[in-house]
């Protein structure tokens, strides 16, 4: 059941983010900014999506964490859930949302460090790919200003990959 929930979480992320990218034709500025792509009356779907992603990844995350550090996994999931509970609203500052999102990202990487630290090698690769103007996607306008989304993607990728490996 835990593995099925992890797979469901991955499918939710890939399908929603993929649909958002495909419909706009470009990367979003952040995962949170994807709420703006929905009509005002349908923005609750973004909240539901983030709740489902967080709660479906929770069992695998908590199971994989060392016993004395499970609270870090819990706080990671809690930060994601609270981000979903307070989505961004255009032209309004939401400091709590930003703080929780940053905390979720940092805590997710602390979890990775405990579960399978080798996945943290993804970070230098990310910096190398994004820093060198040799690669055509760094020069294109579509990737400029998308750093937050790309960082969120690396956090998600490292966490899900280390959870998958820990399940094997």
């Amino acid at each position: 059941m835990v593995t099925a929930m992890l797979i469901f979480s991955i499918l939710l992320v890939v399908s929603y983010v993929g649909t958002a990218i495909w419909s706009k034709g470009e990367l979003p500025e952040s995962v949170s900014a994807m709420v703006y792509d929905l009509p005002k009356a349908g923005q609750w779907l973004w909240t539901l999506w983030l709740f489902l992603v967080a709660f479906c990844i929770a069992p695998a995350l908590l199971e994989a964490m060392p016993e004395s550090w499970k609270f870090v996994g819990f706080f990671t999931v809690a930060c994601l859930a609270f981000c979903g509970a307070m989505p961004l609203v255009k032209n309004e500052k939401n400091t709590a949302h930003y703080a929780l999102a940053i905390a979720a990202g940092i805590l997710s990487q602390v979890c990775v460090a405990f579960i399978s630290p080798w996945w943290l090698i993804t970070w230098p690769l990310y910096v190398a790919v994004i820093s060198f103007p040799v690669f055509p996607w760094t020069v294109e306008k579509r990737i400029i200003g998308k750093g937050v989304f790309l960082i969120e993607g690396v956090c998600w990728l490292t966490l899900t990959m280390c959870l998958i490996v820990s399940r094997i």
Side-chain angles (χ1 to χ4, degrees), residues 107-160:
L107 290 171
S108 74
Q109 298 311 286
V110 171
C111 291
V112 170
F114 279 106
I115 299 167
S116 184
W118 285 103
W119 284 104
L120 294 175
I121 195 77
T122 308
W123 283 102
L125 294 173
Y126 163 77
V127 171
V129 167
I130 213 67
S131 297
F132 296 109
V134 175
F135 301 110
W137 57 83
T138 60
V139 178
E140 288 183 25
K141 191 175 185 178
R142 285 183 276 182
I143 202 144
I144 304 299
K146 310 301 183 182
V148 172
F149 176 76
L150 295 172
I151 288 169
E152 291 169 336
V154 173
C155 286
W156 175 79
L157 181 66
T158 57
L159 182 62
T160 55

Side-chain angles (χ1 to χ4, degrees), residues 63-83:
E63 188 177 280
M65 288 296 289
E67 195 63 40
S68 61
W69 289 94
K70 286 189 188 296
F71 71 94
V72 178
F74 172 79
F75 284 131
T76 302
V77 172
C79 286
L80 282 174
F82 280 112
C83 277

Side-chain angles (χ1 to χ4, degrees), residues 32-114:
S32 298
M34 291 189 309
V35 74
Y36 299 140
D37 297 337
L38 297 169
K40 186 78 171 158
Q43 290 183 349
W44 63 271
L45 289 169
W46 180 87
T47 297
L48 177 64
W49 169 75
L50 194 53
F51 281 169
L52 286 171
V53 168
F55 293 128
C56 286
I57 205 168
L61 179 57
L62 295 175
E63 188 177 280
M65 288 296 289
E67 195 63 40
S68 61
W69 289 94
K70 286 189 188 296
F71 71 94
V72 178
F74 172 79
F75 284 131
T76 302
V77 172
C79 286
L80 282 174
F82 280 112
C83 277
M86 55 178 95
L88 296 178
V89 177
K90 266 201 191 289
N91 303 321
E92 286 186 24
K93 189 175 180 180
N94 193 337
T95 305
H97 176 90
Y98 296 129
L100 288 166
I102 291 167
I106 292 169
L107 290 171
S108 74
Q109 298 311 286
V110 171
C111 291
V112 170
F114 279 106

